[in-house]
Amino acid sequence: MSFSYHAGLYPYPSRREVVYGRKGMVCTSQHLAAQAGLDVLKQGGNAVDAALATAICLTVLEPTSNGIGSDLFALIWTGGRLYGINGSGPSPALLTRDRVTAAGYDAMPLRGWLPVMVPGAPAAWAAIHDRFGRLPFERLFAAAITYAEEGYAVMPTLAAMLAAEWDAFSDFRAQPAFAGLFSVFYPTEKPAQPGDLLKLPALGRTLRSLAASRCRSLYDGPIGAAVAAFSLQTGGLLRQSDLAAYQPQWVDPICTNYRGYDIWEMPPNGQGLVVLMALNIASRMTFAQRDTVDTLHRQIEAMKLAFTDGKTHIADPNCMKTNTADLLADAYAEKRYREIGAAALLPQPVDADNGGTVYLCTADEDGTMVSLIQSNFAGFGSGIVVPGYGISLNDRGNNFSLDTASDNCVGPSKRSYHTIIPGFVTKNGDAVGAFGVMGAFMQPQGQFQVLMNTIDFHLNPQAALDAPRWQWLGGKKIEVERGIPQALIDGLTARGHEVSVNDDPLPYGRGQIIWRNEDGVLTGATEPRADGVVAAW
């Protein structure tokens, strides 16, 4: 069951065309990674193998957004059922609120060892393959290892990110904990330019070890020992006992029905709940047209209210006092809906962050589909890169609160509020497809807008991604892309929104979509704000 489109009548001319396929499809933000996934499909692999090969490649091809030290969430549709895996790691057992405040912080830092959490992505790769993979595990690493060891030409988006990260970490260059970042990812002692050849031999060696050990070398093997030794040497709290104890978790996805479609997300500690809450509020509204002040105003208000409650309640599920079902209940949605009026509200603000994340989706001819996302969080994450191994460690702990009353207060062996959220759509028990939008706190906002573009306004998947976006920055502050007409900006301002225009496309997220119709035909779209491609067979 697919979506209905108003063929040829899109208000936003696509910068790219939709792509169709039948035997398989891979969509992601980097064309070489997408082709690696497609090659795996052609070698007899399934959509799961393709997703893993693509994800592993992205640690090499877009290292400013994800890496061996990343976390991972995935939704997998196979055999007529949707499965979820939470590959987010906990904090070190030695991390306490008192340690953070004793170090002089009144909020969790973004860089350095304190926000580092146990890497979850490699363990999740192995767990997913154990359950659903078809090809030998080591074969899924082949393309990534080749690109790491032989090098690859840098694409424009990666070049821009490398330059931005060079600037962001310039004040850390003299600190021993950050030496690996510059020696591994800036081998010529300057950011690579578009078209430059970038080789990452240390990362290649690590990938070979992970492939041979089914990733256990990172957790209870020699790589884990090296990570722990570097942590101890440079003031970190991560120990090999933290790594060895880690296992990803298979979980039941959560969903809501929006205008006849079931929208699926990962449960907390992920923020996919925010998307579902916003859709439940929006479902009580009628939107005649996309491009009106009233439509934008009500979309923004619904998202603000959902985000406020998400930031208040989402945490490690073992620590949440509020039941997820209560936040998805009709009573909650109705209460929040009735708070929306003609003027902009001033709810509790949420910080916005562009983040460092990659998203991909895959499909095969047998009906298996994967929606997968992995992330360092902010660019290169903590900035801690283990010398000789190329492992950039995430800074996911930055999302912890230091408020002792918060469910999300920092603590030992605890998972933080998490921003990465793969999405999936079904209708009447059949798969419609996989979708996602990268970008930290932009992710639920991007998903919400893409879903409404598709379901309410009948845009095809490429037009749904192309359309100009807005993002809530907190309070009454709204940032919009240049493509939103000035008349709409003026109208929002008149309603009390504080609107600014940002010409940089990256803060608005980078999405991918694969829809499947009743005949098994795949329709793919990739974000114009990235270097992505739809690889189809």
Side-chain angles (χ1 to χ4, degrees):
M1 179 66 68
S2 189
F3 296 106
S4 60
Y5 309 128
H6 298 323
L9 300 177
Y10 311 127
Y12 303 99
S14 281
R15 301 171 218 183
R16 307 179 184 189
E17 297 298 325
V18 292
V19 175
Y20 299 98
R22 177 64 181 85
K23 296 178 73 67
M25 185 173 283
V26 180
C27 299
T28 195
S29 56
Q30 213 283 345
H31 73 291
L32 296 177
Q35 291 171 32
L38 189 65
D39 286 344
V40 162
L41 285 173
K42 291 181 176 181
Q43 293 166 13
N46 59 17
V48 170
D49 296 319
L52 294 175
T54 304
I56 294 164
C57 255
L58 284 166
T59 66
V60 177
L61 299 171
E62 202 170 297
T64 51
S65 301
N66 75 130
I68 304 302
S70 286
D71 288 330
L72 176 156
F73 285 179
L75 294 169
I76 302 164
W77 175 271
T78 187
R81 179 183 167 189
L82 191 65
Y83 299 82
I85 187 167
N86 182 326
S88 65
S91 57
L94 294 175
L95 179 64
T96 64
R97 181 183 181 279
D98 288 345
R99 282 184 181 270
V100 178
T101 56
Y105 295 101
D106 56 11
M108 284 296 295
L110 185 65
R111 309 298 190 188
W113 277 111
L114 282 176
V116 170
M117 310 279 272
V118 172
W125 298 340
I128 293 168
H129 184 266
D130 284 344
R131 192 163 187 177
F132 299 118
R134 181 183 296 169
L135 294 180
F137 189 61
E138 289 187 62
R139 190 181 302 180
L140 308 183
F141 287 75
I145 291 170
T146 296
Y147 287 128
E149 295 179 345
E150 297 181 7
Y152 61 93
V154 172
M155 292 287 285
T157 298
L158 176 58
M161 291 177 173
L162 286 168
E165 293 299 286
W166 174 272
D167 292 339
F169 285 99
S170 60
D171 292 340
F172 298 89
R173 287 184 66 94
Q175 298 182 33
F178 295 87
L181 171 64
F182 294 96
S183 64
V184 170
F185 295 106
Y186 299 94
T188 62
E189 298 187 356
K190 63 180 180 180
Q193 300 299 304
D196 285 353
L197 187 67
L198 181 61
K199 294 183 180 182
L200 301 171
L203 191 52
R205 290 192 296 272
T206 295
L207 289 169
R208 287 187 179 278
S209 174
L210 295 178
S213 68
R214 298 192 66 81
C215 297
R216 292 313 306 170
S217 60
L218 175 60
Y219 296 96
D220 49 22
I223 296 179
V227 172
F230 187 62
S231 172
L232 187 63
Q233 174 188 344
T234 54
L237 301 176
L238 189 66
R239 301 292 182 263
Q240 190 158 19
S241 55
D242 297 310
L243 297 167
Y246 178 69
Q247 292 291 337
Q249 295 182 342
W250 290 99
V251 298
D252 293 326
I254 57 176
C255 83
T256 196
N257 188 275
Y258 184 71
R259 309 203 197 284
Y261 293 91
D262 288 320
I263 313 302
W264 297 87
E265 299 282 352
M266 291 286 292
N269 55 318
Q271 64 176 347
L273 180 58
V274 172
V275 181
L276 303 185
M277 290 191 291
L279 288 171
N280 283 345
I281 297 169
S283 70
R284 286 153 170 76
M285 310 173 189
T286 300
F287 300 94
Q289 292 180 292
R290 182 187 190 279
D291 294 311
T292 70
V293 172
D294 190 59
T295 291
L296 288 175
H297 167 72
R298 290 187 294 160
Q299 284 181 319
I300 290 166
E301 294 302 295
M303 177 52 64
K304 286 161 64 173
L305 291 169
F307 230 143
T308 297
D309 292 327
K311 286 290 287 184
T312 300
H313 300 294
I314 293 172
D316 187 317
N318 296 319
C319 302
M320 284 178 62
K321 302 182 185 73
T322 302
N323 193 298
T324 297
D326 292 337
L327 294 172
L328 291 176
D330 286 343
Y332 161 81
E334 184 68 22
K335 178 181 183 296
R336 281 309 216 178
Y337 161 68
R338 292 187 178 280
E339 295 176 26
I340 297 174
L345 292 170
L346 186 61
Q348 177 183 332
V350 59
D351 293 330
D353 191 306
N354 185 32
T357 305
V358 294
Y359 173 79
L360 64 97
C361 46
T362 63
D364 62 33
E365 62 180 329
D366 296 325
T368 297
M369 304 183 79
V370 179
S371 181
L372 184 151
I373 193 162
Q374 63 188 24
S375 172
N376 291 334
F377 184 48
F380 273 120
S382 64
I384 308 295
V385 176
V386 184
Y389 293 89
I391 301 173
S392 53
L393 295 169
N394 70 74
D395 56 348
R396 188 57 61 179
N398 173 254
N399 283 331
F400 276 127
S401 170
L402 294 186
D403 181 356
T404 56
S406 171
D407 296 354
N408 190 42
C409 184
V410 66
S413 304
K414 180 177 180 180
R415 289 176 294 173
S416 68
Y417 177 106
H418 218 290
T419 59
I420 60 176
I421 50 172
F424 204 87
V425 182
T426 63
K427 187 170 186 178
N428 299 328
D430 294 325
V432 173
F435 74 101
V437 178
M438 305 170 248
F441 296 108
M442 181 63 199
Q443 290 191 43
Q445 304 190 64
Q447 282 199 15
F448 181 59
Q449 291 171 72
V450 166
L451 285 167
M452 290 193 67
N453 286 344
T454 303
I455 299 172
D456 290 273
F457 308 120
H458 307 288
L459 302 188
N460 76 17
Q462 191 60 59
L465 291 175
D466 287 350
R469 296 181 189 144
W470 50 263
Q471 66 167 324
W472 178 50
L473 300 179
K476 295 184 180 182
K477 295 180 180 179
I478 303 297
E479 190 173 76
V480 299
E481 282 192 286
R482 178 64 65 184
I484 291 183
Q486 186 62 45
L488 296 182
I489 295 173
D490 293 341
L492 290 174
T493 302
R495 292 199 178 202
H497 298 280
E498 300 169 6
V499 185
S500 60
V501 179
N502 187 348
D503 291 324
D504 182 358
L506 290 181
Y508 297 99
R510 298 181 295 153
Q512 317 292 329
I513 294 172
I514 298 177
W515 301 145
R516 179 192 296 277
N517 71 11
E518 295 88 340
D519 297 323
V521 173
L522 304 170
T523 304
T526 186
E527 184 65 62
R529 300 166 185 86
D531 294 325
V533 70
V534 179
W537 186 25

